[in-house]
Amino acid sequence: MGFRSFETFNQALLAKQAWRLLANPDSLLGKLLKSRYYPQSSFLDATLGHSPSLTWQAIHWGKALLLNGLRWKIGEGRAINCSSDLWIPGNTTFLPYFFSSSPNTMVSNFITEERQWDLALLLQYFSAADVDRILTIPLSFFPSRDTLIWHHHHLGIYTVQSGYHFASALEHSDLSSSSTVAKSWWKYFWSLHLPTKIKIFAWRVYHDVLPVATALVKQKIIIDSTCSICRCAWESIGHALFGCRYARAVWKHSGFNFDWQQSSTMRKGDYLVHLSSVYSKSEMELIISTASIPWYPPALGTFKLNVDAVVDANKKTIGVGAIVQDFRGQVVAALSMPILQIKEVESDALLVVNALRTPSTISAFNDLIVDVSCFLSFFPDVTLSHVKLLANSAAHDLAKFALGLEEAYFWSEVTPQPIYSVVVNDLPV
């Protein structure tokens, strides 16, 4: 039937009943349970109580699973406490890692009148890793009510399938981010005197989210996980930072000599935590700074192309920047281009097209869908269609040309050079 644990599946089913009570508190069952078990509190805050019925015991058990996957979707932000409410998207926690303002501060204080995140205030009171997560939260031009959503479904609603997979993942996870050891590590880590970008790099190392070859193979972006530098082993984070012979040469030149076998098999930053117990604070600052060595030039006589796609949540723009540099680091070429609107809308993003056709009221990205719908309403004859990537290659390449500029680039009655061949190939014979 597709599931392995009857106990986990049973809890996922009961969590569905808890979700219905949360979504429909005025139902007959909801009113009955509230009068008996939580007359002075909310359903989510309700305790098991004295002499509970078997029905309430079962729903309360299902609610425990639901609570682990619920977070707030930002509307106005007036009902969400920055430090105690679950509102920041993440893999292991929805709370901020570090917050230095008053414990009664609400999220609305960090949203400007233009409905944008106040980046200066965020950097002042949150850790760099938290700011990185917060900026992924979309804000609508039209404020709405703050709403609890199920984080593990793209529509924000609870389903038994998503609940079962989440419960199974909880069973096999040690949830290290909530352990005492991890909490003391993060307190120590954020106290290090390091530039923000280096702290973000170390945070990504700890959470295994660096784009090394093994990770890119899993995401089916590339097909070869071999280290592109030494060509001697798979490029994991541990190998890239410690195991590669070129990385070891850097460490030895810096005066450090580690356990190369243990460091090469680093998982979830465990070797960094180990090093923090061996070296002093100043030495750890040097180690982390050395590990985050940025761009390096290509081999003599060759060129390197770097490309990246970026989403600007404040400006509501998407695009890609690209740069070509030679072995001296000199810039050979660079390009970028913002996305343009068109009357007839086609997209290869099936999730977005379906959301625009049948919008949900609580999905995490629904505010952006509402904004897009409002803009499309100015064009009453516009048609929206889903197409394959092959039929959308011109727009796809323009998106790659887009973000990174301070101003938009426009072409009038001229085919843009970056997509000239694509447009020519698309023309009917």
Side-chain angles (χ1 to χ4, degrees):
M1 294 180 65
F3 56 87
R4 299 179 180 179
S5 170
F6 282 97
E7 182 179 358
T8 301
F9 183 66
N10 192 31
Q11 188 179 24
L13 284 171
L14 292 169
K16 181 67 174 182
Q17 300 301 320
W19 172 261
R20 287 171 177 165
L21 288 173
L22 177 65
N24 303 290
D26 294 329
S27 65
L28 180 60
L29 179 60
K31 291 180 179 179
L32 179 64
L33 292 175
K34 180 173 179 62
S35 65
R36 172 67 176 83
Y37 296 107
Y38 50 99
Q40 305 300 326
S41 64
S42 67
F43 169 66
L44 294 180
D45 295 326
T47 60
L48 196 57
H50 300 289
S51 302
S53 66
L54 292 177
T55 298
W56 177 240
Q57 290 182 54
I59 292 176
H60 192 271
W61 182 47
K63 186 185 73 169
L65 173 62
L66 190 66
L67 285 172
N68 281 322
L70 287 178
R71 69 170 174 86
W72 285 95
K73 181 176 77 72
I74 307 299
E76 291 182 333
R78 299 181 186 277
I80 305 174
N81 185 285
C82 287
S83 60
S84 60
D85 285 333
L86 309 173
W87 64 284
I88 306 179
N91 295 323
T92 56
T93 180
F94 304 134
L95 291 171
Y97 296 117
F98 175 80
F99 182 64
S100 61
S101 186
S102 166
N104 297 322
T105 304
M106 310 306 284
V107 173
S108 57
N109 294 332
F110 295 91
I111 301 175
T112 67
E113 293 182 357
E114 292 77 22
R115 297 292 300 164
Q116 297 179 359
W117 290 110
D118 192 325
L119 184 57
L121 277 181
L122 289 176
L123 292 172
Q124 183 177 352
Y125 295 109
F126 290 91
S127 68
D130 286 326
V131 173
D132 204 27
R133 296 158 66 203
I134 293 170
L135 292 179
T136 66
I137 302 175
L139 294 176
S140 172
F141 291 125
F142 312 100
S144 57
R145 183 170 58 90
D146 299 318
T147 310
L148 279 170
I149 64 172
W150 176 249
H151 176 72
H152 304 282
H153 192 279
H154 66 277
L155 294 179
I157 59 175
Y158 179 87
T159 63
V160 175
Q161 183 182 33
S162 64
Y164 172 74
H165 288 305
F166 176 60
S168 299
L170 287 179
E171 283 188 347
H172 294 89
S173 173
D174 58 2
L175 295 180
S176 59
S177 64
S178 61
S179 66
T180 303
V181 174
K183 288 180 179 178
S184 62
W185 153 254
W186 285 118
K187 183 177 181 180
Y188 165 83
F189 173 74
W190 294 120
S191 68
L192 296 176
H193 297 292
L194 293 169
T196 299
K197 64 179 182 180
I198 293 181
K199 284 187 176 181
I200 292 176
F201 173 85
W203 180 87
R204 289 173 174 167
V205 169
Y206 188 91
H207 289 281
D208 280 353
V209 291
L210 286 182
V212 292
T214 51
L216 297 177
V217 167
K218 288 181 180 179
Q219 298 175 27
K220 296 182 173 54
I221 297 176
I222 61 175
I223 59 174
D224 185 8
S225 59
T226 305
C227 175
S228 59
I229 305 299
C230 69
R231 310 297 300 178
C232 295
W234 285 357
E235 188 189 62
S236 62
I237 292 179
H239 173 82
L241 297 184
F242 299 101
C244 180
R245 66 174 183 266
Y246 293 99
R248 291 201 300 268
V250 172
W251 288 119
K252 290 177 181 178
H253 182 74
S254 302
F256 294 101
N257 193 15
F258 305 125
D259 183 337
W260 306 117
Q261 180 62 34
Q262 184 181 358
S263 60
S264 297
T265 58
M266 177 175 64
R267 182 178 179 274
K268 293 290 184 182
D270 55 4
Y271 195 66
L272 287 182
V273 178
H274 165 71
L275 292 179
S276 67
S277 65
V278 176
Y279 290 94
S280 67
K281 200 170 183 179
S282 59
E283 289 173 324
M284 276 303 296
E285 291 169 351
L286 178 58
I287 289 172
I288 294 176
S289 297
T290 304
S292 62
I293 293 176
W295 183 90
Y296 57 89
L300 181 67
T302 62
F303 300 90
K304 176 181 284 189
L305 169 66
N306 290 87
V307 296
D308 194 19
V310 183
V311 176
D312 190 323
N314 293 329
K315 296 181 180 179
K316 308 295 187 297
T317 56
I318 301 174
V320 169
I323 183 171
V324 179
Q325 292 169 273
D326 62 18
F327 62 95
R328 295 183 297 267
Q330 297 295 319
V331 177
V332 177
L335 54 85
S336 182
M337 173 73 188
I339 293 177
L340 306 176
Q341 291 188 3
I342 193 168
K343 182 177 180 180
E344 183 179 355
V345 178
E346 292 182 343
S347 174
D348 58 88
L350 181 59
L351 186 66
V352 174
V353 172
N354 287 339
L356 286 169
R357 288 173 174 169
T358 55
S360 166
T361 57
I362 62 170
S363 67
F365 63 94
N366 184 65
D367 289 344
L368 291 182
I369 297 299
V370 171
D371 288 349
V372 173
S373 298
C374 289
F375 287 128
L376 290 178
S377 67
F378 289 99
F379 306 94
D381 298 326
V382 71
T383 59
L384 179 65
S385 306
H386 172 256
V387 296
K388 298 294 185 180
L389 178 60
L390 184 62
N392 203 42
S393 55
H396 182 76
D397 289 350
L398 278 177
K400 291 181 180 179
F401 190 68
L403 200 64
L405 295 175
E406 295 182 358
E407 59 182 22
Y409 272 47
F410 298 93
W411 291 268
S412 178
E413 299 181 0
V414 175
T415 302
Q417 185 63 36
I419 59 169
Y420 183 83
S421 61
V422 176
V423 173
V424 170
N425 290 333
D426 284 344
L427 292 175
V429 178

